[in-house]
Amino acid sequence: MEFLESVRLSWRAIRSHKLRSVLTTLGIIIGVGAVITFVTLGASLQADILGQVGAERTPNVYVWSGPEGQNAGPGAGAQPVFTERDLTELRNVAGVSAVVPRGIVPTAAVSSGGDTVAQRQVIATSPASFDSATFVSGRAFEQGEREVVLNEQAARLFESQATVGDEVTLRLASGESADAEVVGLLNSSSGGGPFEGFDSQPLVFVPTDPFYDTTIESPATGETQRVYPTVTVVANDFGAVAEVQESVRAYLADESDAASLAPGDYEFSVRTDQDLVDQLEELLDTLTNFVTGIAVISLVVGSIGIANIMLVSVTERTREIGIMKAVGAQNRDVLQLFLLEAVMLGVLGAVAGTPVGVLGAYAAAEYIGLSLVFPLEWFAIAVGVGVLVGVLAGLYPAWNAARTDPIDALRYE
Amino acid sequence: MAASHSDAGPETTTDSEDAVSLRDVRKTYYLGEPVHALDGVSLSIHRGSYTAVMGPSGSGKSTLLNLIGCLDTASEGQVFVNGKEVSALSERDRTRVRGDEIGFVFQTFNLMPKLTAAENVALPLVFQGVSRSKRKSHAESVLDEVGLGDRTGHRPNELSGGQRQRVAIARALVTDPAIILADEPTGNLDSETGRQIMGLFQRLHDEGNTILMVTHERHIAEHAERVIHVLDGTIERIEEIESPRRVEIEAF
């Protein structure tokens, strides 16, 4: 029997039960629609977040020490373990262009021009942590000077918009006060890097000398030195990143002060930008897969609907099957007819479900404020799924139809 | 499809004069204990003959029809249709013989309700792989032959009982089969319509078609040249009708 003739006959069978076919297809439309909505949303969310994170990829390696096995964000649970001596040693590692320490100076508030705003901490770091391109005005602070750098969000905290040249007073948590001069303003989009989180919050940067005074006796040299919870190691170029990452790991594991200072169940995290992006991606993938998994359940329910209606249809048309067999239809012909009917329902559902899913994703993205990214391959997959669902759901009913005994079928009322 | 007609092989051929022949055919059903629906039946149906099969219900006449119609296989013995031993064929080849060599006419017409008259008639050709345009023209010419040339686009529910049975007869004729098997073809028709259908069979016989008709009505059976009386799975007697009943044929 010609394939085209099967298509014609199956299509006629579908059309002769319009309401039933529409309802059956609706199950698949909802299933495919739900899957496409969530997959599209997941891809859009991923693109959105990774776009924020990965926009400026740097050859940086972020180093901190945290509780073993934790999988939280960069710097989570970090304890001050990296001494000045460690920093010096790390600077000597091949391929390293800079080592930037980062510590927290606990504060109560920051005042400028008679206006005092609460600020729980300022970030102590070295001038190398700034990229000159991110300055709106002014320059980086210098070590040993009483100077601060603010980002625009921090500058805006003050009624009179802090600008370069202003005096600020840091109210330290210890109760003391320290005066400093604003020497630079960072643009609002430059965050503090992964340790500060990627959202734009007010940030105040100070040089480690003289503001950072968390110190400890270096186990290696016996001198009392500043000690930092997190360190950024900047490689010469992207090509050197992997090597630097390895060398840093090796140094930390072995001879570092950090190794002896870190609590026993702590481990070092030495992550590149790419590692952080990968980790984030993995997290988002898990989330997307989970939600898509739920959507797939509705697709399964839809295909059970097809299987069910096909079984009914086969029973209803027992006599027709008998007639076809009596006039020479092979089992294969009957199988083909019913299987095709199921596949057509599946494909119809998938094809109609795709725009429904896109529409759903569009509405959700509008609501959340995401820009949509369409994973185009999923549209092909949706149609493929329609065929697959049709075949799976139709196989048993069609097989049932094919093996119908024509004698019984012709007698069937 | 036509090439496969040689599948059965020449060694299984029988008398070439016979459209159908049965040799010591038995059909046993096992329903707790064995039931012999047919118990050693031998029979020859010549080409161009018109035969009626009579017998009470349960006598085995339906089983006989199913065996000749390749819907069922014999437990023992041989069944030849147009020279091919169908009992030896695979299910697939048997289905092919059924489609090519047998034309069924049923008491309840058994038309596809969603297909038009022409599509119903063309249905056997669909499974033979005949092209759409050829099917259409062929089906229309056969419908014309049975007097329904103006009803080709009608569905069964738009036709009267007699018209439906004529569509069914056209469907049986469309493949130019070796034999037409009619199972109580007038059973669901009023007597006048039944008479017209018998007239149609008579004309088909006159044109050289081989017809085997199962009936339990004596006056219907008398249209045939020969009546086979079946009882308890065996042939009780074969009666030759000296002057078969004739219907005065009016123009359709």
Side-chain angles (χ1 to χ4, degrees), chain A residues 5 8 12 319 325, chain B residues 98 108 110 119 132 135:
Chain A
E5 196 54 38
R8 220 174 263 139
R12 196 182 292 213
R319 203 185 175 90
K325 286 194 159 188
Chain B
R98 190 195 306 149
T108 52
N110 277 337
E119 285 167 334
R132 194 171 164 79
R135 287 201 308 261

Side-chain angles (χ1 to χ4, degrees), chain A residues 10-361:
Chain A
S10 301
W11 178 238
R12 196 182 292 213
I14 288 173
R15 275 201 357 203
S16 67
H17 293 287
K18 280 201 189 69
L19 181 62
R20 184 200 284 188
S21 301
V22 166
L23 289 177
T24 309
T25 310
L26 202 56
I28 300 298
I29 292 177
I30 292 171
V32 169
V35 170
I36 290 203
T37 297
F38 288 121
V39 166
T40 305
L41 270 187
S44 304
L45 193 68
Q46 197 147 337
D48 189 66
I49 291 177
L50 294 183
Q52 283 175 18
V53 175
E56 300 161 51
R57 215 53 75 80
T58 54
N60 289 358
V61 177
Y62 303 97
V63 185
W64 73 96
S65 157
E68 207 169 338
Q70 68 153 7
N71 205 13
Q79 300 297 349
V81 294
F82 304 102
T83 61
E84 291 285 355
R85 181 225 162 214
D86 281 345
L87 301 188
T88 312
E89 292 289 334
L90 287 173
R91 274 184 197 109
N92 294 335
V93 168
V96 171
S97 80
V99 174
V100 180
R102 183 188 159 282
I104 299 295
V105 178
T107 54
V110 179
S111 310
S112 173
D115 189 19
T116 301
V117 293
Q119 177 77 7
R120 106 190 126 89
Q121 62 180 43
V122 300
I123 296 149
T125 182
S126 70
S129 68
F130 301 109
D131 175 355
S132 59
T134 61
F135 280 96
V136 180
S137 60
R139 55 169 173 87
F141 52 62
E142 278 168 23
Q143 279 294 13
E145 299 294 328
R146 297 196 155 269
E147 297 176 338
V148 301
V149 169
L150 309 178
N151 68 355
E152 283 186 310
Q153 288 91 328
R156 262 185 248 123
L157 291 176
F158 304 102
E159 262 169 36
S160 57
Q161 286 271 338
T163 55
V164 172
D166 284 2
E167 279 294 318
V168 294
T169 306
L170 306 176
R171 313 275 180 198
L172 300 178
S174 59
E176 295 165 39
S177 290
D179 291 333
E181 186 194 347
V182 178
V183 294
L185 283 182
L186 297 171
N187 65 31
S188 53
S189 63
S190 71
F195 290 131
E196 255 61 65
F198 292 99
D199 46 335
S200 27
Q201 48 178 327
L203 295 171
V204 178
F205 299 92
V206 296
T208 53
D209 176 30
F211 293 98
Y212 188 73
D213 52 11
T214 305
T215 54
I216 200 160
E217 207 170 276
S218 162
T221 63
E223 290 172 56
T224 299
Q225 299 184 330
R226 288 196 171 87
V227 64
Y228 305 95
T230 55
V231 174
T232 304
V233 178
V234 184
N236 283 333
D237 52 60
F238 284 100
V241 167
E243 195 193 326
V244 165
Q245 187 179 19
E246 270 320 297
S247 308
V248 169
R249 264 206 194 107
Y251 168 73
L252 290 176
D254 225 19
E255 0 157 11
S256 66
D257 285 347
S260 45
L261 290 172
D265 58 348
Y266 268 44
E267 61 181 3
F268 293 110
S269 294
V270 182
R271 306 266 176 84
T272 63
D273 261 5
Q274 190 56 49
D275 289 341
L276 296 172
V277 168
D278 287 348
Q279 193 186 349
L280 205 60
E281 216 162 25
E282 199 180 314
L283 183 79
L284 289 172
D285 272 345
T286 309
L287 191 76
T288 307
N289 288 347
F290 173 72
V291 179
T292 307
I294 293 175
V296 165
I297 292 175
S298 60
L299 195 58
V300 171
V301 173
S303 58
I304 292 173
I306 291 192
N308 193 19
I309 215 67
M310 287 310 297
L311 281 173
V312 171
S313 181
V314 167
T315 310
E316 251 180 16
R317 280 187 274 161
T318 300
R319 203 185 175 90
E320 289 180 38
I321 296 166
I323 297 168
M324 289 195 285
K325 286 194 159 188
V327 300
Q330 296 285 356
N331 291 353
R332 201 185 40 176
D333 295 329
V334 177
L335 187 89
Q336 181 177 310
L337 273 177
F338 281 90
L339 202 54
L340 212 62
E341 199 175 319
V343 168
M344 281 162 104
L345 287 174
V347 170
L348 269 176
V351 167
T354 302
V356 169
V358 170
L359 224 63

Side-chain angles (χ1 to χ4, degrees), chain B residues 11-22:
Chain B
E11 71 280 5
T12 54
T13 50
T14 174
D15 186 345
S16 61
E17 284 298 300
D18 291 341
V20 169
S21 76
L22 281 72

